[in-house]
PDB file of all heavy atoms in Angstrom:
ATOM      1  N   GLU A  53      89.594  62.683-123.136  1.00  0.00           N
ATOM      2  CA  GLU A  53      90.060  61.321-123.609  1.00  0.00           C
ATOM      3  C   GLU A  53      90.096  61.322-125.122  1.00  0.00           C
ATOM      4  O   GLU A  53      89.226  61.935-125.826  1.00  0.00           O
ATOM      5  CB  GLU A  53      89.183  60.303-123.095  1.00  0.00           C
ATOM      6  CG  GLU A  53      89.185  60.124-121.543  1.00  0.00           C
ATOM      7  CD  GLU A  53      88.330  58.985-121.002  1.00  0.00           C
ATOM      8  OE1 GLU A  53      87.635  58.319-121.969  1.00  0.00           O
ATOM      9  OE2 GLU A  53      88.353  58.783-119.890  1.00  0.00           O
ATOM     10  N   ARG A  56      89.918  56.400-125.553  1.00  0.00           N
ATOM     11  CA  ARG A  56      90.076  55.966-124.075  1.00  0.00           C
ATOM     12  C   ARG A  56      91.406  56.254-123.523  1.00  0.00           C
ATOM     13  O   ARG A  56      91.701  55.796-122.429  1.00  0.00           O
ATOM     14  CB  ARG A  56      89.897  54.408-124.193  1.00  0.00           C
ATOM     15  CG  ARG A  56      88.522  53.966-124.582  1.00  0.00           C
ATOM     16  CD  ARG A  56      88.312  52.473-124.431  1.00  0.00           C
ATOM     17  NE  ARG A  56      86.935  52.023-124.874  1.00  0.00           N
ATOM     18  CZ  ARG A  56      86.603  50.796-124.846  1.00  0.00           C
ATOM     19  NH1 ARG A  56      87.472  49.918-124.512  1.00  0.00           N
ATOM     20  NH2 ARG A  56      85.353  50.448-125.271  1.00  0.00           N
ATOM     21  N   GLY A  62      91.339  65.623-114.897  1.00  0.00           N
ATOM     22  CA  GLY A  62      90.685  66.546-113.923  1.00  0.00           C
ATOM     23  C   GLY A  62      91.385  67.764-113.691  1.00  0.00           C
ATOM     24  O   GLY A  62      91.683  68.226-112.576  1.00  0.00           O
ATOM     25  N   GLU A  98      84.822  65.425-119.796  1.00  0.00           N
ATOM     26  CA  GLU A  98      84.201  65.922-118.665  1.00  0.00           C
ATOM     27  C   GLU A  98      84.658  67.240-118.214  1.00  0.00           C
ATOM     28  O   GLU A  98      85.688  67.770-118.661  1.00  0.00           O
ATOM     29  CB  GLU A  98      84.498  64.925-117.462  1.00  0.00           C
ATOM     30  CG  GLU A  98      84.140  63.499-117.628  1.00  0.00           C
ATOM     31  CD  GLU A  98      84.616  62.585-116.407  1.00  0.00           C
ATOM     32  OE1 GLU A  98      85.131  63.060-115.444  1.00  0.00           O
ATOM     33  OE2 GLU A  98      84.367  61.277-116.569  1.00  0.00           O
ATOM     34  N   PHE A 103      84.248  81.258-119.803  1.00  0.00           N
ATOM     35  CA  PHE A 103      84.746  82.621-120.079  1.00  0.00           C
ATOM     36  C   PHE A 103      83.867  83.622-119.325  1.00  0.00           C
ATOM     37  O   PHE A 103      82.762  83.867-119.529  1.00  0.00           O
ATOM     38  CB  PHE A 103      84.468  82.886-121.668  1.00  0.00           C
ATOM     39  CG  PHE A 103      85.528  82.288-122.550  1.00  0.00           C
ATOM     40  CD1 PHE A 103      86.421  81.280-122.090  1.00  0.00           C
ATOM     41  CD2 PHE A 103      85.543  82.559-123.877  1.00  0.00           C
ATOM     42  CE1 PHE A 103      87.354  80.716-122.867  1.00  0.00           C
ATOM     43  CE2 PHE A 103      86.456  81.947-124.768  1.00  0.00           C
ATOM     44  CZ  PHE A 103      87.367  81.086-124.236  1.00  0.00           C
ATOM     45  N   ARG A 110      79.674  75.338-124.361  1.00  0.00           N
ATOM     46  CA  ARG A 110      78.474  75.353-125.264  1.00  0.00           C
ATOM     47  C   ARG A 110      78.690  76.041-126.435  1.00  0.00           C
ATOM     48  O   ARG A 110      77.789  76.110-127.291  1.00  0.00           O
ATOM     49  CB  ARG A 110      77.294  75.843-124.363  1.00  0.00           C
ATOM     50  CG  ARG A 110      77.013  75.033-122.989  1.00  0.00           C
ATOM     51  CD  ARG A 110      75.930  75.761-122.261  1.00  0.00           C
ATOM     52  NE  ARG A 110      75.743  75.039-120.927  1.00  0.00           N
ATOM     53  CZ  ARG A 110      74.849  74.044-120.773  1.00  0.00           C
ATOM     54  NH1 ARG A 110      74.123  73.689-121.777  1.00  0.00           N
ATOM     55  NH2 ARG A 110      74.694  73.486-119.624  1.00  0.00           N
ATOM     56  N   LEU A 111      79.817  76.754-126.583  1.00  0.00           N
ATOM     57  CA  LEU A 111      79.978  77.616-127.768  1.00  0.00           C
ATOM     58  C   LEU A 111      80.910  77.075-128.715  1.00  0.00           C
ATOM     59  O   LEU A 111      81.878  76.354-128.392  1.00  0.00           O
ATOM     60  CB  LEU A 111      80.489  79.023-127.208  1.00  0.00           C
ATOM     61  CG  LEU A 111      79.757  79.780-126.200  1.00  0.00           C
ATOM     62  CD1 LEU A 111      80.514  81.091-125.802  1.00  0.00           C
ATOM     63  CD2 LEU A 111      78.365  80.079-126.584  1.00  0.00           C
ATOM     64  N   SER A 124     103.207  77.330-137.066  1.00  0.00           N
ATOM     65  CA  SER A 124     103.466  77.269-138.480  1.00  0.00           C
ATOM     66  C   SER A 124     102.950  78.455-139.231  1.00  0.00           C
ATOM     67  O   SER A 124     102.915  78.509-140.473  1.00  0.00           O
ATOM     68  CB  SER A 124     102.773  75.988-139.087  1.00  0.00           C
ATOM     69  OG  SER A 124     101.474  75.962-138.855  1.00  0.00           O
ATOM     70  N   ASP A 135      95.724  91.581-146.586  1.00  0.00           N
ATOM     71  CA  ASP A 135      94.542  90.609-146.754  1.00  0.00           C
ATOM     72  C   ASP A 135      94.601  89.526-145.735  1.00  0.00           C
ATOM     73  O   ASP A 135      93.484  89.047-145.253  1.00  0.00           O
ATOM     74  CB  ASP A 135      94.534  90.055-148.130  1.00  0.00           C
ATOM     75  CG  ASP A 135      94.171  91.155-149.190  1.00  0.00           C
ATOM     76  OD1 ASP A 135      93.569  92.101-148.817  1.00  0.00           O
ATOM     77  OD2 ASP A 135      94.437  90.932-150.357  1.00  0.00           O
ATOM     78  N   VAL A 166     102.439  95.980-134.721  1.00  0.00           N
ATOM     79  CA  VAL A 166     103.430  94.869-134.762  1.00  0.00           C
ATOM     80  C   VAL A 166     104.738  95.293-135.508  1.00  0.00           C
ATOM     81  O   VAL A 166     105.614  94.427-135.769  1.00  0.00           O
ATOM     82  CB  VAL A 166     102.832  93.583-135.444  1.00  0.00           C
ATOM     83  CG1 VAL A 166     101.643  93.199-134.637  1.00  0.00           C
ATOM     84  CG2 VAL A 166     102.484  93.914-136.826  1.00  0.00           C
ATOM     85  N   GLY A 181     110.892  84.705-141.131  1.00  0.00           N
ATOM     86  CA  GLY A 181     110.115  83.928-140.199  1.00  0.00           C
ATOM     87  C   GLY A 181     109.566  84.816-139.132  1.00  0.00           C
ATOM     88  O   GLY A 181     108.317  84.705-138.728  1.00  0.00           O
ATOM     89  N   GLY A 182     110.369  85.634-138.589  1.00  0.00           N
ATOM     90  CA  GLY A 182     109.874  86.607-137.424  1.00  0.00           C
ATOM     91  C   GLY A 182     108.840  87.467-137.934  1.00  0.00           C
ATOM     92  O   GLY A 182     107.888  87.770-137.241  1.00  0.00           O
ATOM     93  N   ALA A 223     106.122  93.323-124.484  1.00  0.00           N
ATOM     94  CA  ALA A 223     105.804  94.740-124.562  1.00  0.00           C
ATOM     95  C   ALA A 223     104.453  94.992-125.236  1.00  0.00           C
ATOM     96  O   ALA A 223     103.711  95.816-124.831  1.00  0.00           O
ATOM     97  CB  ALA A 223     106.919  95.496-125.408  1.00  0.00           C
ATOM     98  N   THR A 232      96.078  86.254-122.261  1.00  0.00           N
ATOM     99  CA  THR A 232      96.806  85.543-123.264  1.00  0.00           C
ATOM    100  C   THR A 232      97.329  84.256-122.589  1.00  0.00           C
ATOM    101  O   THR A 232      97.811  84.273-121.477  1.00  0.00           O
ATOM    102  CB  THR A 232      98.028  86.405-123.713  1.00  0.00           C
ATOM    103  OG1 THR A 232      97.592  87.616-124.326  1.00  0.00           O
ATOM    104  CG2 THR A 232      98.883  85.733-124.699  1.00  0.00           C
ATOM    105  N   ALA A 242     109.212  80.708-121.098  1.00  0.00           N
ATOM    106  CA  ALA A 242     108.015  80.834-120.073  1.00  0.00           C
ATOM    107  C   ALA A 242     108.447  81.648-118.897  1.00  0.00           C
ATOM    108  O   ALA A 242     107.602  82.471-118.459  1.00  0.00           O
ATOM    109  CB  ALA A 242     107.719  79.351-119.553  1.00  0.00           C
ATOM    110  N   GLU A 258     101.279  70.199-112.342  1.00  0.00           N
ATOM    111  CA  GLU A 258     102.145  70.029-111.216  1.00  0.00           C
ATOM    112  C   GLU A 258     102.188  71.211-110.333  1.00  0.00           C
ATOM    113  O   GLU A 258     102.255  71.093-109.085  1.00  0.00           O
ATOM    114  CB  GLU A 258     103.592  69.764-111.738  1.00  0.00           C
ATOM    115  CG  GLU A 258     103.711  68.387-112.461  1.00  0.00           C
ATOM    116  CD  GLU A 258     103.902  67.289-111.402  1.00  0.00           C
ATOM    117  OE1 GLU A 258     104.462  67.495-110.312  1.00  0.00           O
ATOM    118  OE2 GLU A 258     103.699  66.045-111.777  1.00  0.00           O
ATOM    119  N   GLN A 291     115.749  62.813 -88.516  1.00  0.00           N
ATOM    120  CA  GLN A 291     115.414  64.002 -87.663  1.00  0.00           C
ATOM    121  C   GLN A 291     115.913  65.274 -88.270  1.00  0.00           C
ATOM    122  O   GLN A 291     116.487  66.136 -87.580  1.00  0.00           O
ATOM    123  CB  GLN A 291     116.028  63.707 -86.248  1.00  0.00           C
ATOM    124  CG  GLN A 291     115.356  62.566 -85.603  1.00  0.00           C
ATOM    125  CD  GLN A 291     116.016  62.295 -84.241  1.00  0.00           C
ATOM    126  OE1 GLN A 291     117.071  62.778 -83.791  1.00  0.00           O
ATOM    127  NE2 GLN A 291     115.258  61.550 -83.342  1.00  0.00           N
ATOM    128  N   GLY A 298     126.308  57.930 -95.874  1.00  0.00           N
ATOM    129  CA  GLY A 298     126.510  57.698 -94.343  1.00  0.00           C
ATOM    130  C   GLY A 298     127.070  58.829 -93.672  1.00  0.00           C
ATOM    131  O   GLY A 298     127.272  58.798 -92.333  1.00  0.00           O
ATOM    132  N   SER A 299     127.520  59.904 -94.364  1.00  0.00           N
ATOM    133  CA  SER A 299     128.093  61.097 -93.698  1.00  0.00           C
ATOM    134  C   SER A 299     127.187  62.271 -93.734  1.00  0.00           C
ATOM    135  O   SER A 299     126.674  62.510 -94.710  1.00  0.00           O
ATOM    136  CB  SER A 299     129.504  61.451 -94.397  1.00  0.00           C
ATOM    137  OG  SER A 299     130.319  60.368 -94.383  1.00  0.00           O
ATOM    138  N   LEU A 315     118.274  64.379-103.003  1.00  0.00           N
ATOM    139  CA  LEU A 315     118.714  65.812-102.918  1.00  0.00           C
ATOM    140  C   LEU A 315     118.950  66.320-104.293  1.00  0.00           C
ATOM    141  O   LEU A 315     119.717  65.793-105.103  1.00  0.00           O
ATOM    142  CB  LEU A 315     120.058  65.774-102.204  1.00  0.00           C
ATOM    143  CG  LEU A 315     120.871  67.141-102.203  1.00  0.00           C
ATOM    144  CD1 LEU A 315     120.128  68.252-101.476  1.00  0.00           C
ATOM    145  CD2 LEU A 315     122.298  66.937-101.617  1.00  0.00           C
ATOM    146  N   ALA A 327     138.436  70.564 -97.800  1.00  0.00           N
ATOM    147  CA  ALA A 327     138.138  69.204 -97.376  1.00  0.00           C
ATOM    148  C   ALA A 327     137.801  69.189 -95.806  1.00  0.00           C
ATOM    149  O   ALA A 327     138.637  69.385 -94.963  1.00  0.00           O
ATOM    150  CB  ALA A 327     139.309  68.248 -97.662  1.00  0.00           C
ATOM    151  N   GLY A 330     130.978  67.457 -93.511  1.00  0.00           N
ATOM    152  CA  GLY A 330     129.820  68.406 -93.880  1.00  0.00           C
ATOM    153  C   GLY A 330     129.736  68.724 -95.289  1.00  0.00           C
ATOM    154  O   GLY A 330     128.749  69.129 -95.818  1.00  0.00           O
ATOM    155  N   GLY A 331     130.749  68.489 -96.028  1.00  0.00           N
ATOM    156  CA  GLY A 331     130.897  68.766 -97.443  1.00  0.00           C
ATOM    157  C   GLY A 331     130.666  67.531 -98.281  1.00  0.00           C
ATOM    158  O   GLY A 331     130.521  66.453 -97.743  1.00  0.00           O
ATOM    159  N   PRO A 364     132.758  79.749-111.401  1.00  0.00           N
ATOM    160  CA  PRO A 364     133.460  80.789-112.209  1.00  0.00           C
ATOM    161  C   PRO A 364     134.691  80.393-112.783  1.00  0.00           C
ATOM    162  O   PRO A 364     135.365  79.467-112.292  1.00  0.00           O
ATOM    163  CB  PRO A 364     133.590  81.854-111.081  1.00  0.00           C
ATOM    164  CG  PRO A 364     132.677  81.597-110.075  1.00  0.00           C
ATOM    165  CD  PRO A 364     132.518  80.123-110.026  1.00  0.00           C
ATOM    166  N   VAL A 365     135.039  80.957-113.915  1.00  0.00           N
ATOM    167  CA  VAL A 365     136.199  80.527-114.672  1.00  0.00           C
ATOM    168  C   VAL A 365     137.447  80.491-113.770  1.00  0.00           C
ATOM    169  O   VAL A 365     138.216  79.506-113.820  1.00  0.00           O
ATOM    170  CB  VAL A 365     136.397  81.456-115.935  1.00  0.00           C
ATOM    171  CG1 VAL A 365     137.708  81.204-116.669  1.00  0.00           C
ATOM    172  CG2 VAL A 365     135.303  81.180-116.892  1.00  0.00           C
ATOM    173  N   LEU A 375     137.179  67.730-105.769  1.00  0.00           N
ATOM    174  CA  LEU A 375     136.541  68.944-105.409  1.00  0.00           C
ATOM    175  C   LEU A 375     135.619  68.663-104.231  1.00  0.00           C
ATOM    176  O   LEU A 375     134.868  67.695-104.140  1.00  0.00           O
ATOM    177  CB  LEU A 375     135.629  69.440-106.617  1.00  0.00           C
ATOM    178  CG  LEU A 375     134.684  70.579-106.410  1.00  0.00           C
ATOM    179  CD1 LEU A 375     135.510  71.877-106.152  1.00  0.00           C
ATOM    180  CD2 LEU A 375     133.756  70.762-107.481  1.00  0.00           C
TER     181      LEU A 375
END
Side-chain angles (χ1 to χ4, degrees):
E53 294 182 358
R56 298 184 180 179
E98 297 177 8
F103 284 8
R110 303 171 182 269
L111 306 177
S124 59
D135 289 341
V166 300
T232 303
E258 289 274 339
Q291 298 181 338
S299 299
L315 170 64
V365 170
L375 174 69

